[in-house]
Amino acid sequence: MNSPSAKQEHDGSAEKVAGNHDEGLGTTGNGNLERLQTAQEGEMLTQDAEAAKREWIKTAPESPRNWPLWRKWWIISGLLFYTIVIFICNTGFVTDDAEEGFGVNKEAAVMGQSLAWSLTFRESLHDKVYEKHTGIKQKKSATAIVSRELGRAAILLCTEPIVMALALTTTFLFGLIFIYLQGYTFVYGDHFALGTVAEGAMFLVSILGGFIALVTQPVQNYLYRRSAKSTSNGKPRPEARLYTACFAVWIMLISVFWFAFTSSLNPQQVSYQAPMWSGLLFGYAEVAIYTGLWQYGTDAYGANAGSALAAINLPANSVACGLAHAALPFFENVADKWALGIMGFISILYLAVPPLLVWKGQWLRKRSPFAMSRDAGAADD
């Protein structure tokens, strides 16, 4: 039988153990609470840092986004030369390692390296300038940047009506260019029996048309700046970038039908110049339309413009690769006139795209979570 003193001692020990257990639970709970608070504070600091960086990119004079126009053009000129050098070096030297390491051919190696470089350059430029002026080190891997940009581009392509419309139009434009220019071989080489040099010289007319589009671009820029007078907030409307494109789509249609229905005329009775001058209109239209679409995509999506342009061009480049090969049997089986005529009739469907975006683009931007410049020209007088 246990004595009363032994019982009291046992009860005291049990209370002590329970007290230690409760104290342990309290300590553990406090530790978990402190860790949770620390994690929340760290997350808030990260969000504040990202917000500060975004604000700096938008407003700071030192931000590449706000550099003077002459400085941007100077950089673009240097990048163009640098891109050519990189492409040559990739083709001649660097691609050998990529071919062996990944088991791909040289073309795939060059495309992969060019894609990685183009996607990471914009982020790298902002990060380096931001580090220089703020002293805040930016740690981002190329893999993370590429994954984020490609993911955002895919989301924009699947969810944004503006991006979808621009992507479809750009895809058709690219395909039309490949098929139209492929027809030069059949029309001038086979039908009009021009020599190789004369056949190649026909491209100069299209180049001249593109040059005319570049020379007249200041007119489009003037119309864009003038659109600010018709808005209550004094900002130009991004849709004003498409004014020239609304006109150029008709020029494109005329040029395609012109080339189609003069390409099969009797060469003994009609000069090769009859279809040749259609290239002047075609060259003008393709440059004017493409420039307008790109400028509109850039203005409409602001900070997300890089991803938007990637989404617009991804299907265009993919389809154009296939059409470059499909154009040959297309002309051989359908004949020159109707191969080009079919493309002309398809072009009719795209006449409405620029005017529709001018009409409803503002409405679509207001409802888009990605159109960072959706307030630009948002309230028309």
Side-chain angles (χ1 to χ4, degrees), residues 169 172-173 176 242-257 281-282 284-286 288-290 293 344 347-356:
T169 305
F172 175 74
L173 181 62
L176 180 60
L242 296 171
Y243 288 163
T244 301
C246 292
F247 164 74
V249 289
W250 287 95
I251 299 298
M252 174 73 76
L253 180 65
I254 293 171
S255 69
V256 174
F257 279 129
L281 299 183
F282 185 84
Y284 167 82
E286 64 169 303
I289 296 171
Y290 192 69
L293 296 181
S347 299
I348 296 175
L349 300 175
Y350 289 88
L351 291 175
V353 174
L356 281 175

Side-chain angles (χ1 to χ4, degrees), residues 61-331:
E62 299 86 1
S63 172
R65 184 176 176 179
N66 303 319
W67 284 348
L69 185 61
W70 67 266
R71 189 175 183 182
K72 294 179 180 179
W73 276 108
W74 181 258
I75 293 174
I76 290 173
S77 301
L79 286 175
L80 179 61
F81 173 76
Y82 184 58
T83 302
I84 295 173
V85 173
I86 289 293
F87 180 79
I88 294 174
C89 292
N90 278 347
T91 304
F93 305 101
V94 186
T95 53
D96 294 338
D97 296 332
E99 290 178 65
E100 296 176 1
F102 296 97
V104 297
N105 59 24
K106 181 170 292 186
E107 289 77 9
V110 171
M111 289 174 62
Q113 292 172 23
S114 301
L115 176 64
W117 181 82
S118 62
L119 286 174
T120 57
F121 174 77
R122 174 179 171 273
E123 287 291 333
S124 300
L125 176 64
H126 279 101
D127 288 346
K128 294 300 181 184
V129 178
Y130 187 67
E131 290 175 8
K132 179 180 178 181
H133 289 277
T134 63
I136 302 175
K137 186 71 175 177
Q138 301 295 298
K139 297 181 179 180
K140 295 180 181 179
S141 66
T143 303
I145 294 174
V146 172
S147 300
R148 186 185 66 185
E149 294 298 327
L150 289 178
R152 185 185 298 160
I155 293 173
L156 288 170
L157 183 59
C158 296
T159 61
E160 288 290 306
I162 292 177
V163 174
M164 293 178 191
L166 296 179
L168 286 173
T169 305
T170 305
T171 300
F172 175 74
L173 181 62
F174 271 34
L176 180 60
I177 291 171
F178 273 87
I179 293 177
Y180 184 95
L181 298 180
Q182 191 70 56
Y184 277 35
T185 301
F186 294 92
V187 174
Y188 299 115
D190 297 343
H191 187 69
F192 285 96
L194 298 182
T196 304
V197 176
E199 177 189 329
M202 297 298 103
F203 290 97
L204 296 177
V205 180
S206 295
I207 294 174
L208 178 60
F211 180 74
I212 293 174
L214 294 177
V215 171
T216 56
Q217 182 62 29
V219 177
Q220 167 59 53
N221 295 340
Y222 167 75
L223 295 174
Y224 170 71
R225 290 191 298 269
R226 196 181 68 170
S227 69
K229 297 180 181 180
S230 64
T231 60
S232 58
N233 55 13
K235 296 180 180 179
R237 297 179 63 226
E239 288 74 26
R241 294 288 194 185
L242 296 171
Y243 288 163
T244 301
C246 292
F247 164 74
V249 289
W250 287 95
I251 299 298
M252 174 73 76
L253 180 65
I254 293 171
S255 69
V256 174
F257 279 129
W258 180 352
F259 189 38
F261 293 103
T262 58
S263 62
S264 59
L265 297 178
N266 188 345
Q268 303 298 326
Q269 299 175 351
V270 178
S271 170
Y272 66 87
Q273 295 190 34
M276 181 188 75
W277 290 109
S278 68
L280 184 70
L281 299 183
F282 185 84
Y284 167 82
E286 64 169 303
V287 174
I289 296 171
Y290 192 69
T291 303
L293 296 181
W294 265 61
Q295 288 182 331
Y296 177 58
T298 301
D299 287 359
Y301 286 93
N304 294 318
S307 298
L309 296 180
I312 292 168
N313 277 277
L314 182 62
N317 290 316
S318 303
V319 172
C321 290
L323 289 178
H325 299 283
L328 292 175
F330 188 41
F331 276 95

